[in-house]
């Protein structure tokens, strides 16, 4: 079986590594903008090209007789790469543009949820002019402000975090109007978690819940990033969640997939990422992504027991309900090493060397290879993942590996530690007990 993976980050390295574990011995191919040494090593051949260059990607896929393509990042989905590959006769385990807009058009996504009565939608409105937007911001009193389009995780600002008061919220929202429509929504209070699922157009196979850490510095301080690391507990549920939270989140994702088909006429195939805020009133949807999370893909794919090629075949043939998709009941802790100064003033072109990483798994992200050496770019560089029976053991494995990565690097020691997890549990207890 010839399989193509589009994308060259940590998420795509995890996808490729999971495929390389297949007992069916597939031939793997990749398209990536920079040579990710981890992906390159696992592939029979790769093309260095922009993932959004639809013509080049399709041409490569046709030349290599690709049977199934997987698309990692959001940008190629937003330019219709899945549609173009399918038009060329290639099966694609990633959503077409009509349904991927659940991610790349936040205004459309919120209206879609409201119109179809999907649970967990916060109060919101979509604006194209300032007057009514200012009034709505006053009316809600505490808001999150979102540009409707893709911003690589750097466009959303929330009161209490990046926006000190209502005036700052109004100014920021107004400044975004120049780039397109703006979504203003109620500021949800609680703990965030990620629930991902494989989807075949109709059926969903859920993965364990994961929690990401967006802030750059320990103690959840500093600017937002693409994600500094993530963990899951052995089993499906995070320590601060109850079973009901996860079953409600699953129902929301199932209802979303059904409504997407009804509204667009297109079946959603691929990975669906639900980002939830667990509030006093249960899970609310922060957003959906039309692909795996990065870092969350590294947690869950490291635990996938079912042959990934079987999962892909089931996705493209609509037979996921007939496949028992299993994940090991283990905890994982993933930590990213990023360039010093990331995200505001990162260093780049510094060598990274990998020492003894013990039992950890290692995934390359935004790095490049030159003369057999690995260098940083300016974005997240290398992730390590510990897998063990408990979060504490997994954390030790990941931290030991991080301590043996050398370079001009920064990381968060606190991800997966008992202290930080206890804070999440205490925070949720306070939220749930609020009147
Ligand atoms: N309604 C909301 N209430 C509180 N926080 C929010 C809300 N919407 C978004 N956020 C915060 O902002 C972050 C980014 O928002 P999100 O909608 O996921 O956009 P993106 O990931 O595309 O930047 C979320 O992870 C969450 O922490
Ligand atoms: Mg998000």
């Amino acid at each position: 079986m010839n399989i193509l993976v589009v994308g060259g980050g940590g998420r795509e390295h995890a996808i490729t590594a999971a495929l390389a574990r297949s007992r069916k011995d597939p031939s793997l191919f990749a398209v990536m903008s920079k040579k990710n040494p981890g992906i390159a090593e696992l592939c029979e051949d790769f093309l260095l090209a922009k993932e959004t260059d639809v013509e080049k990607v399709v041409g490569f896929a046709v030349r290599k007789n690709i049977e199934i393509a997987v698309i990692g990042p959001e940008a190629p989905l937003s330019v219709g790469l899945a549609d173009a590959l399918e038009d060329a006769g290639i099966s694609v385990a990633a959503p077409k543009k009509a349904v991927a807009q659940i991610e790349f058009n936040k205004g459309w996504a919120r209206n879609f949820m409201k119109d179809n009565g999907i649970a967990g939608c916060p109060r919101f409105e979509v604006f194209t002019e300032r007057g009514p937007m200012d009034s709505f911001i006053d009316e809600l009193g505490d808001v999150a402000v979102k540009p409707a389009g893709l911003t690589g995780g750097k466009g959303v600002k929330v009161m209490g975090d990046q926006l000190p008061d209502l005036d700052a919220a109004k100014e920021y929202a107004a400044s975004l109007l120049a780039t397109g429509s703006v979504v203003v929504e109620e500021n949800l209070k609680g703990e965030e978690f990620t629930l991902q699922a494989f989807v075949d157009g109709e059926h969903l196979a859920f993965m364990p819940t994961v929690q990401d850490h967006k802030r750059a510095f320990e103690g959840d301080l500093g600017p937002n990033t693409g994600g500094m690391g993530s963990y899951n507990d052995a089993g499906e549920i995070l320590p601060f969640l109850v079973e009901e939270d996860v079953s409600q989140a699953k129902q929301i994702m199932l209802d979303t997939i059904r409504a997407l088909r009804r509204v667009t006429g297109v079946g959603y195939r691929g990975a669906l990422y639900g980002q939830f805020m667990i509030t006093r009133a249960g899970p609310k949807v922060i957003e959906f992504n039309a692909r795996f999370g990065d870092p969350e893909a590294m947690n869950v794919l490291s635990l996938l027991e079912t042959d990934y090629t079987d999962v892909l075949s089931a996705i493209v043939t609509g037979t996921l309900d007939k496949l028992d998709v299993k994940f090991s009941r283990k905890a994982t802790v993933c930590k990213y090493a990023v360039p010093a100064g990331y995200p505001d003033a990162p260093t780049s072109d510094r060598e990274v060397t990998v020492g003894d990483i013990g039992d950890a798994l290692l995934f390359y992200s935004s790095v490049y290879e030159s003369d057999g050496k690995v260098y940083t770019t300016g974005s997240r560089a290398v992730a390590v993942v510990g897998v063990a029976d408990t979060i504490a053991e997994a954390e030790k494995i990941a931290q030991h590996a991080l301590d043996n990565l050398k370079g001009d690097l920064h990381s968060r020691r606190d991800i997966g530690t008992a202290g930080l997890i206890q804070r999440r549990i205490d925070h949720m207890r306070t939220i749930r007990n609020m009147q």
Side-chain angles (χ1 to χ4, degrees):
M1 194 192 251
N2 289 355
I3 299 178
L4 173 68
V5 178
V6 177
R11 166 183 46 214
E12 291 77 26
H13 187 181
I15 291 171
T16 314
L19 285 168
R21 294 201 306 267
S22 167
R23 288 169 292 275
K24 308 221 160 134
D25 204 21
S27 296
L28 303 178
F29 298 85
V31 177
M32 46 193 167
S33 50
K34 288 182 293 287
K35 183 182 167 190
N36 178 314
I39 296 174
E41 192 186 296
L42 297 169
C43 283
E44 198 153 294
D45 197 4
F46 60 88
L47 173 73
L48 294 182
K50 271 172 88 171
E51 293 100 355
T52 48
D53 190 331
V54 173
E55 217 170 296
K56 276 196 187 154
V57 179
V58 173
F60 181 73
V62 169
R63 282 200 305 283
K64 298 296 173 187
N65 292 312
I66 296 300
E67 290 161 77
I68 302 183
V70 184
I71 302 171
E74 58 275 24
L77 299 172
S78 73
V79 296
L81 180 60
D83 309 57
L85 285 164
E86 274 204 23
D87 289 346
I90 294 160
S91 296
V92 188
K96 290 185 173 182
K97 202 172 163 178
V99 285
Q101 67 177 315
I102 191 98
E103 166 163 11
F104 67 75
N105 187 341
K106 289 189 199 295
W108 185 89
R110 283 303 191 209
N111 281 319
F112 161 84
M113 286 188 74
K114 186 169 148 196
D115 295 347
N116 292 281
I118 309 281
C121 187
R123 285 191 67 193
F124 77 95
E125 296 242 6
V126 186
F127 295 98
T128 52
E129 46 184 308
R130 178 156 190 175
M133 186 162 71
D134 281 356
S135 312
F136 188 65
I137 291 174
D138 279 328
E139 188 188 324
L140 287 183
D142 194 2
V143 297
V145 178
K146 308 185 171 189
L150 291 177
T151 60
K154 279 145 199 146
V156 173
K157 292 194 182 182
V158 180
M159 276 176 68
D161 281 338
Q162 303 86 1
L163 301 169
D165 52 30
L166 286 169
D167 284 336
K170 288 177 195 167
E171 282 311 315
Y172 181 61
S175 76
L176 292 175
L177 286 172
T179 60
S181 55
V182 177
V183 184
V184 175
E185 54 193 47
E186 96 189 72
N187 186 355
L188 302 166
K189 308 285 186 199
E191 278 292 324
E192 281 181 77
F193 72 96
T194 301
L195 176 61
Q196 300 169 105
F198 293 114
V199 188
D200 69 355
E202 195 179 343
H203 314 100
L204 288 83
F206 290 99
M207 309 182 203
T209 53
V210 183
Q211 189 174 44
D212 182 20
H213 299 71
K214 288 279 172 210
R215 297 304 192 89
F217 308 128
E218 282 162 23
D220 295 320
L221 299 173
N224 274 333
T225 68
M228 294 295 293
S230 48
Y231 68 96
N232 75 284
D233 206 348
E236 255 194 340
I237 294 181
L238 289 159
F240 56 87
L241 296 177
V242 296
E243 232 162 279
E244 181 72 6
D245 299 331
V246 180
S247 59
Q248 285 180 18
K250 285 181 177 177
Q251 189 62 47
I252 288 171
M253 287 173 64
L254 186 63
D255 292 342
T256 299
I257 289 302
R258 291 193 177 140
L260 275 174
R261 177 170 231 152
R262 232 177 15 246
V263 168
T264 65
V266 174
Y268 184 107
R269 295 184 198 281
L272 178 68
Y273 170 114
Q275 192 181 344
F276 293 92
M277 180 83 82
I278 180 78
T279 70
R280 194 166 59 92
K284 301 279 181 183
V285 176
I286 293 287
E287 67 161 345
F288 292 108
N289 289 334
R291 33 95 194 165
F292 279 109
D294 185 344
E296 293 96 325
M298 295 184 270
N299 301 90
V300 294
L301 289 174
S302 299
L303 298 177
L304 181 63
E305 283 182 355
T306 310
D307 199 303
Y308 196 6
T309 63
D310 290 339
V311 177
L312 292 184
S313 298
I315 289 173
V316 301
T317 54
T319 54
L320 258 185
D321 56 326
K322 301 198 175 61
L323 186 69
D324 189 13
V325 180
K326 280 201 178 131
F327 295 86
S328 326
R329 288 185 68 88
K330 298 253 185 201
T332 67
V333 172
C334 173
K335 301 199 195 202
Y336 253 116
V338 303
Y342 171 84
D344 292 337
T347 59
S348 63
D349 308 294
R350 306 288 173 89
E351 192 184 344
V352 179
T353 56
V354 178
D356 168 26
I357 61 162
D359 291 331
L361 307 170
L362 181 140
F363 300 103
Y364 287 103
S365 187
S366 206
V367 292
Y368 64 95
E369 209 185 49
S370 176
D371 292 335
K373 292 179 176 173
V374 175
Y375 296 90
T376 57
T377 59
S379 212
R380 297 177 296 173
V382 182
V384 292
V385 177
V387 180
D389 289 330
T390 63
I391 297 172
E393 289 168 74
E395 192 279 332
K396 282 201 189 75
I397 295 168
Q399 188 58 47
H400 170 264
L402 264 190
D403 291 339
N404 289 292
L405 291 183
K406 301 295 176 219
D408 192 25
L409 297 168
H410 158 73
S411 60
R412 276 184 62 169
R413 295 191 79 88
D414 62 344
I415 293 170
T417 58
L420 194 59
I421 287 167
Q422 191 58 47
R423 267 186 35 205
R424 309 285 190 235
I425 295 170
D426 294 343
H427 181 214
M428 243 4 268
R429 188 168 296 143
T430 311
I431 295 271
R432 288 188 211 270
N433 289 338
M434 267 173 8
Q435 291 311 306

